[in-house]
Amino acid sequence: MKAVIFFIGVFFSCLHLSAQSEKQTYASFDWIKINPTESFDRFAWEILPQGITQVMVESLLASPYLTTDDPATLFQVQGQLLAVIPCRFEVLRWTGDSWENLYKGSGSGFNCHAHFFVRDGKLYSMGRYGFWRGHSELLEFDFDTGFWEFVPVSSPPMNYGGVGIFVDGDRVISILGQYIHQPTNVFFSDKNGYVFDFKSKAWSPIQLDFPGQNTPTLWITPSFDLKDYGVQLYQLEAHLGLLLLHKKENTLYFVKENNFGKFKSFAVAVALENNAVFFDKYGAPTFLLSPTAPLEKFTKVGDIRFNQQTSSSFGIEDWSFSILAGLGLLAAVGGIFWWRKNHLSKRAGLAEPLAPVEEQGTVDGVEDIERLVTKLLTQPSMLVDVHQLDELFGSTALDSLDYRRVRRSRYIKLVNQFFQAQHGRDLIFRTKSEADKRIILYRISP
């Protein structure tokens, strides 16, 4: 116990020295997590880093925006002390006596169990659940507009949210997640994961080469992101402990941990580089890793393999996916040849063919386009969302969201080409909701 108290003193003395040398209001830290489910009646407030006060924490806990049991997280961004809350888009800034909301919108519910992080002075939110599906959407907060903006990416994992999400320079590693899509009753775990590269803005699958689990990772088990390590509460065989991802070595370690419950039900946690200390409701500290030798008690259990294909978003194996892709390519070539041979004169007004059958649906020829245009013109509501447009196009029966998106894009293009030929303008326009800029709407303008 004396050793723990000693390291706590060293840990926070470093924080205070950093604060004094840079003449900042607050001590340096990477993140602070505050658990809204714990009681703070007897908490020792003096143990918190310099500048983090009882008034600050209690006013945050009393905030009307705190509507989830997940911990709120404090960051220092661009010289400001900010608080973010999972399942909410509010970004709260401490003014000295109260929290000011920087978010200008009114949306919520999309980023439940989100992993918030700061990179290059920018605030990000990744995943993990919202609107009845898991996801790995990457959002960046725009301090000028006061809105969260989607970061455009390629090859995103569909309906997947990682349980352990860890940032390492230009990459974000997301592992041991789950695929969730409640409308189609999709809910299963993945023992592997994905990596996102900030430079290429692309996702790639990765494989975890270590003993499999007897039971799936619970949704959602706490994980903690440190400078060189990602640590996740984990059950390996019959042992509760810590699974550690070594970011620089791309290796996995495990240790049986008797303090498992303290890391799961803490009151306040403070992290700086590779140190993290967890305080209970009284302020008693417990270190996540040994301050002197972080891997001292850990045993290596596996590695992370990059640039290798794993199962697709819906469990299709590599060879199956390759075969299907090849067949799809052959079907596309054959379809284009057939179209050029039989329909070039009939459809001269439309510049390109429909997608292959699995993407295209039943629309084929000018008559079908005419019927679809008539259906759109008789639609009572001239402003529809993605799901309503898919219903008008008859594509809601497709299980694959990729096929729905491809079909929707094709139909919009064909309808607008037809309408342009007849009336000199488009019929369908893509816009954003006035209430929530994240929501895409489609305006039918006859």
Side-chain angles (χ1 to χ4, degrees):
M1 186 62 183
K2 291 182 179 180
V4 171
I5 295 175
F6 171 76
F7 284 120
I8 290 291
V10 173
F11 181 60
F12 283 117
S13 66
C14 293
L15 297 181
H16 285 269
L17 287 173
S18 174
Q20 292 172 4
S21 63
E22 298 178 12
K23 297 182 180 180
Q24 296 177 345
T25 303
Y26 308 104
S28 297
F29 59 84
D30 291 334
W31 50 257
I32 297 177
K33 294 184 180 294
I34 300 173
N35 190 344
T37 65
E38 289 295 316
S39 170
F40 288 83
D41 294 341
R42 303 176 64 183
F43 190 78
W45 297 101
E46 65 276 5
I47 56 90
L48 293 182
Q50 175 182 317
I52 309 301
T53 65
Q54 179 178 355
V55 172
M56 179 188 298
V57 174
E58 289 182 341
S59 60
L60 178 61
L61 295 173
S63 169
Y65 304 121
L66 200 63
T67 57
T68 174
D69 289 341
D70 288 353
T73 307
L74 304 185
F75 293 108
Q76 295 187 75
V77 185
Q78 300 179 11
Q80 307 173 95
L81 181 65
L82 305 179
V84 287
I85 304 167
C87 229
R88 307 289 307 195
F89 283 131
E90 281 72 24
V91 177
L92 306 180
R93 177 176 61 190
W94 182 248
T95 64
D97 53 12
S98 63
W99 292 99
E100 174 192 6
N101 183 18
L102 302 181
Y103 175 58
K104 303 303 181 183
S106 57
S108 64
F110 179 75
N111 61 336
C112 296
H113 308 301
H115 178 69
F116 296 102
F117 62 95
V118 176
R119 178 181 178 273
D120 294 339
K122 299 178 180 179
L123 178 63
Y124 294 94
S125 170
M126 177 172 286
R128 309 185 203 195
Y129 178 84
F131 303 153
W132 301 281
R133 69 180 181 92
H135 64 84
S136 299
E137 299 285 2
L138 180 63
L139 308 177
E140 177 187 338
F141 187 72
D142 189 324
F143 287 91
D144 294 328
T145 65
F147 286 94
W148 290 93
E149 302 293 344
F150 281 96
V151 176
V153 303
S154 61
S155 305
M158 298 298 295
N159 300 322
Y160 172 86
V163 174
I165 301 179
F166 309 117
V167 182
D168 179 34
D170 290 326
R171 65 181 185 175
V172 182
I173 301 174
S174 178
I175 62 172
L176 298 169
Q178 291 185 327
Y179 294 94
I180 302 176
H181 188 246
Q182 290 178 259
T184 55
N185 200 30
V186 171
F187 193 101
F188 62 92
S189 300
D190 183 3
K191 68 176 183 179
N192 298 299
Y194 295 85
V195 60
F196 174 75
D197 180 47
F198 266 98
K199 290 183 177 179
S200 64
K201 295 291 192 299
W203 284 93
S204 303
I206 59 176
Q207 180 179 347
L208 304 189
D209 182 18
F210 80 116
Q213 304 163 271
N214 290 340
T215 57
T217 302
L218 296 177
W219 183 261
I220 192 165
T221 306
S223 61
F224 309 103
D225 199 7
L226 305 178
K227 179 185 176 183
D228 297 320
Y229 311 113
V231 182
Q232 178 182 324
L233 302 189
Y234 192 78
Q235 180 177 343
L236 184 61
E237 298 177 345
H239 303 296
L240 292 177
L242 303 177
L243 182 69
L244 182 144
L245 185 154
H246 196 305
K247 297 178 182 179
K248 306 306 178 186
E249 296 179 356
N250 299 321
T251 51
L252 298 167
Y253 294 80
F254 180 79
V255 65
K256 181 180 178 182
E257 181 54 71
N258 294 328
N259 290 319
F260 186 95
K262 294 182 179 180
F263 300 134
K264 188 176 182 180
S265 302
F266 60 89
V268 178
V270 183
L272 175 64
E273 295 189 343
N274 290 322
N275 291 316
V277 59
F278 290 67
F279 300 99
D280 64 16
K281 62 182 179 180
Y282 304 108
T286 303
F287 273 99
L288 181 67
L289 304 177
S290 170
T292 54
L295 302 183
E296 181 179 25
K297 298 180 180 180
F298 282 80
T299 301
K300 183 179 177 180
V301 293
D303 299 282
I304 301 176
R305 299 182 183 273
F306 295 88
N307 300 323
Q308 292 189 14
Q309 295 293 325
T310 62
S311 59
S312 73
S313 298
F314 290 94
I316 303 175
E317 299 296 334
D318 294 330
W319 60 269
S320 301
F321 182 79
S322 299
I323 292 174
L324 289 175
L327 291 174
L329 180 60
L330 289 175
V333 173
I336 293 172
F337 178 79
W338 176 86
W339 171 82
R340 289 179 63 86
K341 182 178 180 181
N342 297 283
H343 289 264
L344 185 59
S345 60
K346 184 177 180 180
R347 301 178 62 185
L350 300 179
E352 67 179 33
L354 293 174
V357 173
E358 68 269 23
E359 298 175 356
Q360 143 187 337
T362 59
V363 172
D364 183 21
V366 176
E367 294 84 359
D368 289 335
I369 296 296
E370 287 177 342
R371 285 195 295 270
L372 186 53
V373 169
T374 300
K375 186 178 182 180
L376 291 169
L377 291 175
T378 57
Q379 163 70 13
S381 174
M382 293 294 102
L383 192 65
V384 297
D385 60 22
V386 171
H387 305 292
Q388 291 169 322
L389 190 62
D390 285 344
E391 288 179 359
L392 290 171
F393 288 158
S395 58
T396 54
L398 292 175
D399 291 334
S400 171
L401 297 181
D402 283 334
Y403 287 165
R404 289 191 197 180
R405 184 171 63 250
V406 171
R407 178 186 288 189
R408 186 188 315 125
S409 177
R410 289 282 182 172
Y411 282 9
I412 291 173
K413 188 172 185 178
L414 289 173
V415 166
N416 282 339
Q417 285 178 336
F418 179 87
F419 210 73
Q420 276 278 357
Q422 299 293 323
H423 303 281
R425 55 189 175 82
D426 291 343
L427 176 61
I428 304 174
F429 296 89
R430 191 172 183 267
T431 184
K432 291 185 178 181
S433 169
E434 292 296 331
D436 190 339
K437 297 299 183 182
R438 299 174 299 112
I439 299 176
I440 299 300
L441 299 176
Y442 294 88
R443 185 178 302 280
I444 303 170
S445 300

